Amino acid sequence: MLSEAMTALAAAGGTAVVQAAGTDAWTGVRQQVARWFSRGNPQRESAELARLDQTAGELEAAQPTEAERARIRQEAVWQGRIEALLESLEDMERARVADELRTLLDQQASHRSVSAGPSGLAVGGDLNIRADHGSAAAASMGNVTLGNPSQPGSHQD
């Protein structure tokens, strides 16, 4: 059984794979993850590349209403695969391989960036804005403004 730290690392790995799919970072992440899993075995690396491509394909093909479920499922799949690999190793080897995975994840995180100009809003993921029961929410995008309309009669005499 893996420690909580190793389980958290595996979860971060699963999330990283899914977040990279379909982005500019995918090619590099795909190659690094396949190499990490293969442990120097070229046939296994090819098999891992195929699995990664399958993941990217499933995420891309998911209908908008199913995208979140597909993402969660693929994160769990990759977390489980990473956990299985870590569990199969002796303690010393597990520590070394876990360090390699941490380095891979750190490299991916350092390449992810989000920026915005003056008065801008930068979001590195999903953005959900919601207004319920009299609350107000607004977002401005250039010349387009989204928000709650004024209440009827509030500006009328």
Side-chain angles (χ1 to χ4, degrees), residues 68 114 120-130 137-141 146:
E68 182 69 8
V114 176
L121 172 67
V123 178
D126 293 341
L127 173 64
N128 296 306
I129 300 174
R130 188 173 136 189
S140 177
M141 298 174 285
L146 304 174

Side-chain angles (χ1 to χ4, degrees), residues 87-157:
E87 285 176 340
S88 73
L89 303 172
E90 297 294 326
D91 290 344
M92 294 293 288
E93 178 78 0
R94 182 181 303 131
R96 185 180 64 74
V97 170
D99 284 342
E100 290 173 6
L101 181 57
R102 280 186 201 93
T103 299
L104 188 155
L105 295 175
D106 288 345
Q107 288 172 349
Q108 180 190 1
S110 70
H111 289 102
R112 251 186 289 145
S113 66
V114 176
S115 63
S119 301
L121 172 67
V123 178
D126 293 341
L127 173 64
N128 296 306
I129 300 174
R130 188 173 136 189
D132 283 335
H133 310 293
S135 64
S140 177
M141 298 174 285
N143 293 330
V144 177
T145 301
L146 304 174
N148 287 336
S150 58
Q151 294 294 320
S154 65
H155 63 293
Q156 299 173 348
D157 291 302

Side-chain angles (χ1 to χ4, degrees), residues 20-35:
T23 69
D24 292 342
W26 179 242
T27 302
V29 170
R30 175 184 171 270
Q31 190 62 49
Q32 289 176 318
V33 170
R35 194 173 300 127

